[in-house]
Amino acid sequence: MPEDTVTNVVFAGLGGQGIIKASDMLAEAAFRSGYDVKKSEIHGMSQRGGSVTSDVRFGREVFSPMVPSGEAQFMVALDSTQIDAARHVMRPDGLIFNPEMFLKDGQTFDDFDKNPGSPINRRNLNVALLGVLSTHLDLEESVWLEAVYANLPEKLHEQNAAVFAYGREVGKKA
Amino acid sequence: MTDTSGKNRMLLSGNEAVALAARDAGVALASAYPGTPSTEILESLATLGGPAQWAPNEKVAYEVALGAAFGGARALACMKHVGVNVAADPLFTSMYTGVSGALVLVSADDPGMASSQNEQDNRRYAPAAGIPMIEPADSQEAYDFLFTAFEMSERWKLPVMLRMTTRVCHSQTVVTPRAKGLDPLPTHFEHDIRGRVMIPGFARPAHRRLRAKLAEIYTWGETMPLHRRFDGSKKLGIITAGVCYVHAREAAPDASFLKLGMTYPLPYNMIKEFAKSVERCVVIEENDPYLVDACRAIGVACEGKAEMYRFDEMNVDRVRRILAHDESPEPVRPPGKPPQLCVGCPHRSALSVLKKLDCIIMGDIGCYTLGVLPPVDAMDSCVCMGASIGNGLGLRHVLPPDEARRVVSVIGDSTFVHGGITGLVEMAYNPPPTGHVVLILDNGTTAMTGLQDHPGTGVKLNKKQTHKLSFEDLARSIGITNVHVFTGVDPAGFEALVKQSLASEELTLIIARRPCLLSVKKQKAQPKAAAEKTNA
Ligand SMILES: Cc1ncc(C[n+]2csc(CCOP(=O)(O)OP(=O)(O)O)c2C)c(N)n1
Ligand code: SF4
């Protein structure tokens, strides 16, 4: 990416799905990589299941904390019903990552949730989608993992490293 | 979060930055009542081990902070925009008394009403009360400007307002804190009767003293380093402040800028000179035309924004439109999913019973206000914290008896402590002919703003136990004849109680006591979370 470009990522979903956590992890990874970072979301009512979006912007210098219309290169949607509410911020060639990208023919998330051996489930989709996103961004994998760990209790580190790696594999193939 | 590169850099929200600055600036006492978007300031300060405490409402918070500043300390009072309405009485006269130490009021406005009942622009308070006002644009400025606010307050012995907005409070941006903070000020009480006892004879000279100090601050402000000027293209000059500055810089990177750090008193000469230096001068601000009116009043030729942009937040798109004189309707975004009462929330069943009994429901502010939305559909008013009781009494006094008998006032526990107690006093003092029924939905927390404790929970901000206010005892001592506590989960039992209370035509307080589901979850999770922290 050219020096003066700002990377804009918008996260969209519903309260309780881990939107804020995921955007914290990206902001932290970019911050640890030495970038100027701004992250913005509206708190308040999100805990009661309403729509939540969070904007993360990083680059050499970032001004507004909110992504202007048509300027997001990426959207991480934790709930596909929420894509439309944030679509206006996407660049025409922007990429949208949503949970359905992990489903193979006929699979549902219930299949994942019920199977303890499954690499991902509904609760860790946020980290899995960050894994996908990470294959499109110029941030070191080790920094990503530091950022993921910094936002989770230690007993969840190993499991989420695997979830993140799974997301990366899916991202590389996509 | 802290940078690992060894540089002293942190990524903080504006609220966290204010909290860190408060600790670093040696604040001796910070008092607040929760309210979005200001709540996290005190919560973060408490996490940092700072002297933070919840007050029952904003008026008390401001008075406690003012008392600390009378004693020579640096004190902080934080509140959301409407909180300043509650604290306005002591605020205005504290400008006459001034302080011995230092006092900063944080007013957190909510343009766009992410979580508020109105969109008032608290910049209007600054000239009305005569309080100097400074406005940060991001977290670094929130950190730095709090120090400046304290320096100003100490120098002129006046309270100073740090005016923030939702985007500044909640956005995370990079902060480099000071290597060395300030030592706390020594505290001591010095009698100053003429200075602090505001009877008319002492207040008249005090008002003149305030105006003289503001004149000095004005002169200082003309040279103040918090104002920044960038000389870019002469074709376009933008006058702006706060978060609007970053939106405007992004929308018009080549323009010249006058970014105002202190927006009361305004640096009139600086503004005039800047405007003269550019061909086109535009004022970019959120909500009310506060800056543009002030510029025009001193004869500066400048453009403001069309009325359509008064509503809602400013952003980069809108600045572009304003600069292009684009007043076409803005694109309509698909509506997001609105928040709802949690499934199984105790407020749901209580409100449903009132709905079933065809009550006229004078409501209040809290999670239960979401009961106005389908499927509960049970609320007829929501004005400000505590209004339910007075509104209900007013209705009872004037409605025909058969309608008056259906009126109920519904209020949350935190809201009752904040602004409902005097309503209950009024009820006993001026009882309506048909009596009245007040329902406290006591879920044991301030749920709406993120589960804060309050005097009715008996727990302080630092989680230590303290005296627990008993609503029952209070109501009885006020003179309420019938006080019922309902802790059941059975809607039929609750319905019978409400019916009987409405029929009795007496003064009744029903306390429906069932914990908020989220707070129960949080309490269960807390000991675990603490253990996890020690592992890490
Ligand atoms: C003057 C003022 N201060 C603060 C707020 C923010 N606020 C809205 S509701 C509320 C309290 C809600 O608590 P409670 O009454 O216990 O109801 P719950 O949300 O727990 O149902 C607060 C602090 C406000 N609207 N107005
Ligand atoms: S947070 Fe608590 S009070 Fe609010 S809707 Fe959920 S259960 Fe009800």
Side-chain angles (χ1 to χ4, degrees):
Chain A
M1 240 165 256
E3 261 289 278
D4 58 347
T5 316
V6 171
T7 302
N8 297 315
V9 184
V10 59
F11 292 78
L14 296 173
Q17 290 181 328
I19 292 285
I20 305 295
K21 188 69 85 184
S23 62
D24 278 343
M25 289 170 177
L26 169 60
E28 175 128 12
F31 174 72
R32 284 174 184 250
S33 307
Y35 287 108
D36 187 20
V37 183
K38 290 193 174 168
K39 168 174 151 28
S40 185
E41 71 259 337
I42 293 292
H43 303 207
M45 316 269 253
S46 53
Q47 58 186 345
R48 289 168 217 57
S51 301
V52 187
T53 65
S54 178
D55 294 3
V56 178
R57 316 187 71 194
F58 62 93
R60 198 174 47 80
E61 185 174 24
V62 181
F63 285 111
S64 177
M66 294 134 88
V67 180
S69 295
E71 295 189 15
Q73 293 96 334
F74 306 101
M75 184 195 304
V76 175
L78 277 166
D79 196 300
S80 296
T81 62
Q82 299 304 304
I83 292 176
D84 276 345
R87 197 182 293 277
H88 64 278
V89 300
M90 293 305 290
R91 244 165 52 172
D93 61 347
L95 299 177
I96 299 177
F97 308 120
N98 61 339
E100 283 72 22
M101 67 187 299
F102 296 118
L103 298 179
K104 299 194 186 85
D105 301 333
Q107 259 179 338
T108 69
F109 284 107
D110 287 342
D111 300 333
F112 287 123
D113 289 355
K114 273 187 232 132
N115 173 8
S118 150
I120 56 169
N121 58 44
R122 271 203 190 88
R123 286 169 50 83
N124 58 33
L125 278 174
N126 56 351
V127 173
L129 284 170
L130 279 184
V132 177
L133 174 71
S134 72
T135 61
H136 296 269
L137 297 180
D138 211 4
L139 303 172
E140 295 287 336
E141 191 174 352
S142 59
V143 178
W144 270 110
L145 284 178
E146 285 172 22
V148 169
Y149 292 165
N151 284 282
L152 290 173
E154 195 174 340
K155 63 169 197 229
L156 296 178
H157 287 183
E158 203 178 315
Q159 183 205 348
N160 277 277
V163 172
F164 185 78
Y166 181 84
R168 269 181 89 83
E169 285 312 307
V170 174
K172 279 182 200 152
K173 278 186 221 138
Chain B
M1 60 189 81
T2 314
D3 192 353
T4 42
S5 67
K7 270 185 250 141
N8 187 22
R9 222 171 145 250
M10 303 169 93
L11 187 59
L12 299 179
S13 71
N15 283 346
E16 290 167 331
V18 170
L20 186 67
R23 190 203 59 185
D24 292 352
V27 164
L29 188 60
S31 184
Y33 179 74
T36 313
S38 68
T39 312
E40 298 84 3
I41 298 174
L42 273 237
E43 290 180 333
S44 308
L45 183 56
T47 309
L48 292 168
Q53 53 192 44
W54 293 132
N57 68 27
E58 293 85 353
K59 179 173 184 288
V60 177
Y62 189 82
E63 288 158 349
V64 167
L66 179 62
F70 281 161
R74 286 191 198 97
L76 184 68
C78 308
M79 54 201 69
K80 73 182 279 156
H81 60 342
V82 287
V84 180
N85 301 338
V86 178
D89 203 1
L91 166 63
F92 276 63
T93 305
S94 71
M95 300 315 300
Y96 286 18
T97 62
V99 294
S100 306
L103 173 57
V104 176
L105 164 66
V106 176
S107 162
D109 290 13
D110 190 14
M113 294 176 277
S115 186
S116 296
Q117 69 268 36
N118 79 19
E119 199 171 18
Q120 71 184 49
D121 188 331
N122 277 13
R123 292 178 299 171
R124 304 275 197 198
Y125 267 113
I131 184 168
M133 165 169 64
I134 60 183
E135 295 192 63
D138 58 21
S139 303
Q140 180 70 61
E141 288 192 348
Y143 181 88
D144 293 335
F145 284 20
L146 188 72
F147 277 91
T148 310
F150 277 118
E151 284 154 17
M152 289 169 64
S153 182
E154 270 167 72
R155 174 161 169 197
W156 280 286
K157 303 285 174 218
L158 278 184
V160 171
M161 174 158 117
L162 185 76
R163 189 248 184 187
M164 301 175 72
T165 54
T166 303
R167 285 291 168 184
V168 179
C169 291
H170 284 170
S171 296
Q172 292 180 15
T173 72
V174 178
V175 176
T176 304
R178 292 188 180 191
K180 198 178 167 324
L182 303 175
D183 292 327
L185 295 173
T187 55
H188 164 68
F189 186 78
E190 200 63 55
H191 291 283
D192 177 10
I193 293 165
R194 291 176 166 269
R196 290 206 201 94
V197 183
M198 287 302 110
I199 55 173
F202 296 161
R204 283 185 199 107
H207 187 193
R208 289 173 197 279
R209 274 199 304 277
L210 168 63
R211 296 297 152 189
K213 285 182 190 178
L214 288 172
E216 271 184 44
I217 294 172
Y218 164 77
T219 309
W220 171 76
E222 289 281 4
T223 60
M224 182 205 206
L226 291 193
H227 300 307
R228 284 193 283 153
R229 184 169 159 171
F230 302 92
D231 289 315
S233 156
K234 296 280 154 225
K235 290 212 167 64
L236 173 65
I238 295 179
I239 299 174
T240 187
V243 75
C244 291
Y245 162 70
V246 285
H247 301 321
R249 259 320 274 282
E250 181 150 349
D254 300 328
S256 294
F257 276 86
L258 178 61
K259 181 202 177 285
L260 300 169
M262 180 165 72
T263 45
Y264 182 78
L266 284 165
Y268 292 133
N269 286 329
M270 205 183 275
I271 290 171
K272 280 184 191 159
E273 271 170 38
F274 177 77
K276 256 191 265 158
S277 76
V278 293
E279 287 163 34
R280 177 184 176 207
C281 183
V282 182
V283 176
I284 299 289
E285 63 188 319
E286 244 162 3
N287 287 169
D288 288 359
Y290 169 82
L291 288 177
V292 76
D293 283 358
C295 291
R296 285 182 178 148
I298 54 165
V300 167
C302 55
E303 296 171 29
K305 59 185 190 301
E307 181 66 5
M308 62 184 286
Y309 300 111
R310 176 199 285 257
F311 310 98
D312 220 329
E313 281 186 293
M314 193 51 66
N315 58 36
V316 177
D317 296 347
R318 289 184 130 196
V319 177
R320 288 185 179 133
R321 291 171 64 101
I322 292 166
L323 294 178
H325 299 291
D326 183 351
E327 293 177 32
S328 63
E330 293 177 273
V332 184
R333 312 283 181 225
K337 185 170 171 278
Q340 283 193 327
L341 287 171
C342 299
V343 179
C345 169
H347 294 335
R348 263 184 201 249
S349 47
L351 290 170
S352 302
V353 165
L354 301 186
K355 173 82 182 166
K356 189 174 163 203
L357 296 177
D358 195 26
C359 292
I360 296 170
I361 306 170
M362 290 295 100
D364 225 300
I365 310 193
C367 270
Y368 48 97
T369 316
L370 293 172
V372 68
L373 302 174
V376 186
D377 285 315
M379 192 133 307
D380 291 301
S381 74
C382 162
V383 181
C384 68
M385 294 189 69
S388 58
I389 301 183
N391 292 165
L393 292 169
L395 273 182
R396 283 257 184 181
H397 283 300
V398 301
L399 287 180
D402 50 336
E403 265 189 74
R405 285 187 201 100
R406 290 160 47 209
V407 179
V408 175
S409 297
V410 177
I411 187 166
D413 48 340
S414 187
T415 303
F416 175 71
V417 177
H418 175 287
I421 297 172
T422 44
L424 216 53
V425 173
E426 163 69 6
M427 173 158 118
Y429 185 53
N430 289 309
T434 57
H436 190 43
V437 177
V438 173
L439 172 61
I440 300 182
L441 295 174
D442 182 4
N443 61 0
T445 186
T446 317
M448 180 78 185
T449 44
L451 309 172
Q452 291 79 24
D453 281 293
H454 61 73
T457 70
V459 178
K460 303 214 275 185
L461 175 53
N462 63 9
K463 298 290 158 211
K464 296 226 162 76
Q465 299 285 322
T466 182
H467 175 72
K468 184 173 184 309
L469 171 68
S470 158
F471 302 156
E472 303 85 299
D473 294 350
L474 177 71
R476 285 189 199 105
S477 71
I478 281 175
I480 307 304
T481 354
N482 308 311
V483 180
H484 304 283
V485 179
F486 187 85
T487 53
V489 288
D490 152 39
F494 184 66
E495 188 180 326
L497 175 60
V498 176
K499 255 190 182 159
Q500 168 216 321
S501 303
L502 288 169
S504 78
E505 305 206 356
E506 291 172 352
L507 300 182
T508 302
L509 174 69
I510 302 176
I511 301 162
R513 189 164 284 152
R514 261 173 74 193
C516 155
L517 297 179
L518 279 193
S519 80
V520 172
K521 241 202 243 168
K522 190 176 154 191
Q523 270 159 16
K524 278 194 193 138
Q526 242 160 17
K528 245 198 322 193
E532 272 154 9
K533 273 214 183 95
T534 36
N535 289 345

